[in-house]
Amino acid sequence: MPGFRVHVVSDVHGNTKDLARAGEGADALVCLGDLVLFLDYADHSRGIFPDLFGKENADHLVELRTARRFEEAREFGSRLWAGIDRGPAIEKAVRKQYAEMFAALPTPTYATYGNVDIPTLWSEYAGPGTTVVDGGRAEIGGRVFGFVGGGLRTPMRTPYEISDEEYAAKIEAVGEVDVLCTHIPPDVPELVYDTVARRFERGSRALLAAIHKTRPRYALFGHVHQPLTRRMRIGATECVNVGHFASSGRPWALEW
């Protein structure tokens, strides 16, 4: 019997060129969110923020955030946005990015939201070959995949952050699966620490508890761009950060 191959990507952040090739050689593509590029921390000239306010202001915002001066960063951002109708300006830019990225997705694609995504817009851009799942399951190649999108609340206040309780309810709704796909990692220090940003991102305790309880074969996630540990076994489960696709341009492959 021929094998089945799934390519998995996360944290695409505007890398449409590589996304268009991400499904080559695979039977299906799984995307774990963060399609939007608000600000590229590696290249401050790329993203919605520098398009609106220029690279120098982007440099300063990154400097404040990297130093964890979140309140100052918010005040700086507020001054720049003064006089601009923020919602429509961001939505227009996001729509442009979504139009390009969803058009690049192969058939079939199974996708869930990242914390910087705007879920309400996805239904307008996801074509018939793209199945969007959040707090639910899908059968792919005879295996059951569970999907939980979004992130938990942080000082960054990104668009799709939800409460710990709401996130736990979605994890509970997914139940037992072969492959558990989320945007954020389980709350394990080695998996949530970003070695370049030099900070702990938020991972989910409910996700960690579900891994211990339901023992999926794999737990796949992204969110942390430069993790201390990319891969770790928790009991029977292989936990894998599938990578920062924006910079690598390479999908992670799962075969059976």
Side-chain angles (χ1 to χ4, degrees), residues 7-24 26-36 97-113 117 121-133 245 251:
H7 284 178
V8 190
V9 301
S10 186
D11 299 85
V12 179
H13 294 300
N15 187 350
T16 307
K17 188 180 98 175
D18 289 322
L19 186 62
R21 297 194 294 259
E24 289 177 3
D27 297 288
L29 180 72
V30 166
C31 178
L32 304 183
D34 271 11
L35 298 181
V36 172
Q97 291 187 12
Y98 277 169
E100 293 171 2
M101 280 182 281
F102 278 100
L105 291 174
T107 297
T109 291
Y110 299 84
T112 198
Y113 315 112
D117 286 312
L121 296 181
W122 277 37
S123 60
E124 294 184 45
Y125 296 97
T130 298
T131 303
V132 180
V133 195
F245 187 76

Side-chain angles (χ1 to χ4, degrees), residues 12 16-17 53 59 83 86 91-92 112 125 192 204 224 226 228 239:
V12 179
T16 307
K17 188 180 98 175
F53 303 115
D59 289 342
R86 181 177 182 143
E91 184 176 312
K92 182 182 177 184
T112 198
Y125 296 97
V192 299
S204 167
V224 182
Q226 295 90 196
L228 192 60
C239 298

Side-chain angles (χ1 to χ4, degrees), residues 68-143:
R68 299 180 184 78
R69 292 153 62 185
F70 295 117
E71 200 56 49
E72 287 178 68
R74 270 198 294 277
E75 288 169 7
F76 176 64
S78 296
R79 288 198 300 275
L80 291 174
W81 282 103
I84 297 175
D85 199 344
R86 181 177 182 143
I90 289 179
E91 184 176 312
K92 182 182 177 184
V94 169
R95 283 181 177 278
K96 183 174 182 292
Q97 291 187 12
Y98 277 169
E100 293 171 2
M101 280 182 281
F102 278 100
L105 291 174
T107 297
T109 291
Y110 299 84
T112 198
Y113 315 112
N115 60 292
V116 302
D117 286 312
I118 302 177
T120 52
L121 296 181
W122 277 37
S123 60
E124 294 184 45
Y125 296 97
T130 298
T131 303
V132 180
V133 195
D134 182 21
R137 301 141 68 101
E139 188 180 306
I140 307 173
R143 287 194 174 179

Side-chain angles (χ1 to χ4, degrees), residues 110-112 131-140 143-148 170-181 214 216:
Y110 299 84
T112 198
T131 303
V132 180
V133 195
D134 182 21
R137 301 141 68 101
E139 188 180 306
I140 307 173
R143 287 194 174 179
V144 179
F145 283 63
F147 294 86
V148 175
K170 288 200 291 184
I171 292 284
E172 182 73 22
V174 166
E176 290 189 22
V177 293
D178 297 308
V179 185
L180 184 52
C181 298
T214 66

Side-chain angles (χ1 to χ4, degrees), residues 49 73 77 112 118 185 191 212:
F49 188 90
T112 198
I118 302 177
L191 297 176
H212 281 296

